């Protein structure tokens, strides 16, 4: 039986004739990425050290902060590539709206009784869940009234 040759994982994105980005097979991926300057710890991007509790990131890669005292002054190039997040607002569905109004009509503000009502509260939502959903439904009503 012919011995199987060991497979070398080589990134396909590097040009073979490039002298600057020469992938060294004898080094690890970490060492090659460090040589290319591609190594950065994503957990440290935008992190304010004073406000993090219980979070001890690995300090393998360079930190995102450049030693500036003001966290607003630090700017990482990856922040330019990330688009602004779209605000998603999920409304309460019409069927759930009917059930919540029926629960309010029967029990008033007693969320414990609403949670125990098996006929109207068929999905057995807890009192805390019902409190959140009813408050969201009321804010939707106020926004629609405006």
């Amino acid at each position: 039986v012919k011995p199987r040759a060991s497979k070398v994982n080589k990134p396909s994105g590097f040009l073979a004739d490039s002298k600057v980005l020469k992938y060294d097979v004898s080094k690890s991926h970490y060492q090659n990425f460090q040589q290319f300057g591609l190594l950065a710890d994503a957990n440290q991007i935008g992190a304010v050290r004073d406000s993090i509790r219980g979070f001890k990131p690995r300090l393998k890669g360079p930190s995102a902060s450049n030693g500036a005292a003001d966290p607003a002054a630090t700017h990482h190039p990856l922040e330019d590539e990330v688009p602004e997040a779209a605000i998603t607002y999920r409304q309460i569905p019409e069927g759930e709206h009917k059930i919540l109004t029926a629960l309010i009509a029967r029990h008033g503000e007693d969320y414990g009784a609403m949670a125990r009502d098996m006929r109207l509260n068929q999905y057995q939502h807890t009192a805390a869940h019902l409190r959140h959903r009813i408050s969201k439904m009321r804010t939707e009503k106020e926004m629609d009234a405006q």
Side-chain angles (χ1 to χ4, degrees):
V1 174
K2 188 176 178 182
R4 183 178 279 186
S6 64
K7 192 173 189 180
V8 177
N9 291 332
K10 189 186 258 189
S12 61
F14 297 107
L15 301 174
D17 51 311
S18 175
K19 292 186 172 61
V20 177
L21 299 179
K22 188 67 177 164
Y23 190 83
D24 191 3
V25 180
S26 63
K27 293 182 180 179
S28 67
H29 286 297
Y30 171 77
Q31 291 169 337
N32 279 307
F33 275 46
Q34 191 174 25
Q35 174 187 345
F36 301 147
L38 299 174
L39 191 68
D41 192 357
N43 291 327
Q44 297 180 16
I45 296 173
V48 179
R49 296 281 170 236
D50 300 334
S51 65
I52 300 174
R53 293 187 200 163
F55 176 64
K56 306 280 189 232
R58 300 185 310 247
L59 294 176
K60 279 186 160 184
S63 177
S65 63
N66 297 331
D70 185 18
T74 60
H75 180 74
H76 197 276
L78 286 178
E79 293 175 1
D80 296 334
E81 298 178 19
V82 179
E84 290 293 323
I87 297 173
T88 57
Y89 183 77
R90 294 187 175 94
Q91 293 183 344
I92 293 182
E94 187 178 336
E96 187 176 359
H97 193 277
K98 289 178 184 176
I99 292 171
L100 291 175
T101 53
L103 283 169
I104 292 170
R106 183 177 287 181
H107 300 290
E109 294 294 318
D110 190 4
Y111 296 107
M114 289 182 196
R116 290 188 301 271
D117 190 350
M118 288 292 113
R119 292 188 184 213
L120 291 177
N121 187 10
Q122 293 178 351
Y123 294 115
Q124 299 180 3
H125 292 303
T126 62
H129 180 79
L130 290 169
R131 187 179 307 114
H132 287 113
R133 297 303 282 180
I134 289 173
S135 67
K136 184 174 181 177
M137 181 182 71
R138 287 180 177 158
T139 56
E140 282 182 8
K141 278 186 181 179
E142 291 172 4
M143 290 178 70
D144 288 341
Q146 291 176 357

